[in-house]
Amino acid sequence: MTMNPVLDIKDLSISIEIDAQHYTAVEGVTLSIEKGEIFGLVGESGCGKSLTALSIAGLLSAPLRISNGVIEFEGQQIEKLKNKGMRRLRGDRISMIFQEPMTALNPLMTVGDQIGEMFVLHRGMSMRDARKKAIEALDQVQVPSPGRRIHNYPHQLSGGMRQRIMIAIALSCNPALLIADEPTTALDVTIQAEIVELILELCKERGTAVLMISHDLGLVARMCRRVAVMYAGKIVEEQFGSDIFTGPCHPYTKGLVGSLPRLGGRLEKGQVRLNEISGTVPSIFEFQDGCRFHPRCPDTMDKCRHEAPLQTKIDPRGYVRCYNYG
């Protein structure tokens, strides 16, 4: 933990109630992010990454709810804030970039009005002055002809351009924390690196902390100072980005690292053979006792099936949840 983190989450759990039955979708998540730090949260789809992000931004909706834990942002406890209080923070001090900009942007408003709205709501500007700031914001995210683009609607722009609009909206008020939830998933592979570099460059200039959520361990390990690996609603490992890539400790993390393509990989029938993790991530209705990864783990012991492993320290800033570690 840091002394004065921008974001400090302790023992966060998120539950869902269906037909009078309670299920825990996210359990015991603890992490902290320093000012200006790029922190990665990685895992397969369905592991609980986006639910964690939505809880930070106050965007969980029924039947989902925070059932336990504390979320502190800039020293303020926010997990129990009412909608009005969260609206003051969201878009101003906390911003979020979603993976699909076409569903996040309003199709009935021009992009200039959508960016300008942030300055009207959070800075009290007139719409005329807000449009001038919107042009500046578009220029900062390298949108060509920003004075003309403010009059465009989302459907008139490419996917990459729409994501730049989302970045402009998210960073318009210089937030302390940016949550980037799979920001390149819906984009062509040729512009994914451009978008990531743009986010990191702008955040570095402003001192904005970033929670980078992804299923791409290679991307996160390169870009993030520290990385947490999430599986079936729990964080199973946290390390510095370089260490998690070169020395993964949890069998799940090892599987993710091993599945990355490498130059000079072993050829089978003329093709590079990629390692894979057998099985799939269980749904919240199928979570088992013990370590949740044990049905897919090649090193499972009897203890793994009955007792959930506690944190084992790796270094002063890292830990792993695995009985086989060490």
Side-chain angles (χ1 to χ4, degrees):
M1 290 294 173
T2 59
M3 293 301 293
N4 293 296
V6 170
L7 179 71
D8 194 8
I9 301 176
K10 298 174 183 174
D11 203 26
L12 175 69
S13 294
I14 299 170
S15 64
I16 183 170
E17 182 177 348
I18 300 176
D19 297 330
Q21 293 290 318
H22 290 269
Y23 302 93
T24 302
V26 170
E27 184 177 342
V29 168
T30 295
L31 59 86
S32 64
I33 304 177
E34 300 174 20
K35 180 179 179 181
E37 180 181 19
I38 315 296
F39 187 100
L41 184 60
V42 70
E44 294 170 274
S45 297
C47 283
K49 307 183 304 296
S50 293
L51 286 182
T52 302
L54 292 173
S55 69
I56 297 167
L59 292 173
L60 287 178
S61 55
L64 288 162
R65 67 182 183 87
I66 294 175
S67 54
N68 189 59
V70 172
I71 302 174
E72 284 190 6
F73 174 72
E74 295 187 316
Q76 177 187 7
Q77 198 169 324
I78 65 171
E79 80 279 355
K80 294 180 181 177
L81 280 182
K82 303 297 183 183
N83 286 337
K84 187 176 181 180
M86 279 307 302
R87 279 198 299 269
R88 277 198 219 99
L89 286 177
R90 196 167 51 238
D92 183 10
R93 302 302 295 155
I94 301 175
S95 286
M96 192 164 179
I97 300 174
F98 298 92
Q99 58 182 289
E100 179 43 78
M102 197 59 190
T103 58
L105 293 170
N106 188 332
L108 303 179
M109 291 177 66
T110 65
V111 298
D113 284 347
Q114 293 188 60
I115 300 171
E117 187 176 49
M118 305 305 295
F119 296 106
V120 173
L121 291 174
H122 297 294
R123 295 294 179 267
M125 291 185 181
S126 67
M127 200 60 203
R128 180 177 180 178
D129 290 338
R131 284 199 185 95
K132 293 178 183 177
K133 295 291 287 184
I135 293 173
E136 292 177 15
L138 287 181
D139 186 54
Q140 288 174 343
V141 296
Q142 301 169 15
V143 171
S145 305
R148 180 166 56 87
R149 290 296 186 185
I150 64 167
H151 302 294
N152 289 155
Y153 289 88
H155 73 272
Q156 296 175 299
L157 303 173
S158 67
M161 199 70 76
R162 287 195 292 265
Q163 196 60 294
R164 289 175 187 270
I165 303 302
M166 282 295 303
I167 296 170
I169 292 172
L171 296 180
S172 59
C173 293
N174 293 325
L177 175 67
L178 173 68
I179 302 169
D181 187 6
E182 306 270 14
T184 62
T185 298
L187 303 179
D188 189 285
V189 69
T190 57
I191 60 172
Q192 288 182 0
E194 289 180 26
I195 295 297
V196 170
E197 290 294 342
L198 178 62
I199 293 171
L200 298 184
E201 180 184 337
L202 291 172
C203 289
K204 185 177 181 180
E205 289 176 3
R206 300 157 191 244
T208 300
V210 181
L211 175 59
M212 178 74 73
I213 296 173
S214 180
H215 60 268
D216 185 342
L217 185 60
L219 168 72
V220 168
R222 287 195 304 273
M223 299 296 181
C224 300
R225 178 171 176 262
R226 288 184 296 136
V227 177
V229 180
M230 199 167 196
Y231 183 78
K234 288 187 175 184
I235 291 179
V236 296
E237 181 172 351
E238 182 184 320
Q239 285 202 69
F240 285 105
S242 56
D243 294 335
I244 214 164
F245 190 73
T246 57
C249 296
H250 195 279
Y252 179 60
T253 313
K254 292 177 183 177
L256 292 177
V257 172
S259 66
L260 295 174
R262 288 176 172 80
L263 290 175
R266 180 164 52 92
L267 290 177
E268 286 189 10
K269 297 180 180 179
Q271 296 181 333
V272 177
R273 175 69 177 177
L274 298 179
N275 294 322
E276 61 183 31
I277 305 172
S278 62
T280 58
V281 179
S283 74
I284 60 172
F285 312 111
E286 300 170 331
F287 288 166
Q288 299 186 27
D289 294 335
C291 174
R292 291 179 179 173
F293 187 61
H294 84 256
R296 304 175 69 187
C297 181
D299 303 317
T300 297
M301 303 182 293
D302 188 59
K303 190 176 184 180
C304 304
R305 299 182 177 90
H306 307 292
E307 298 178 38
L310 301 177
Q311 292 183 9
T312 300
K313 208 168 189 178
I314 299 172
D315 56 48
R317 298 295 298 277
Y319 69 86
V320 63
R321 295 178 186 270
C322 182
Y323 288 120
N324 281 299
Y325 175 70

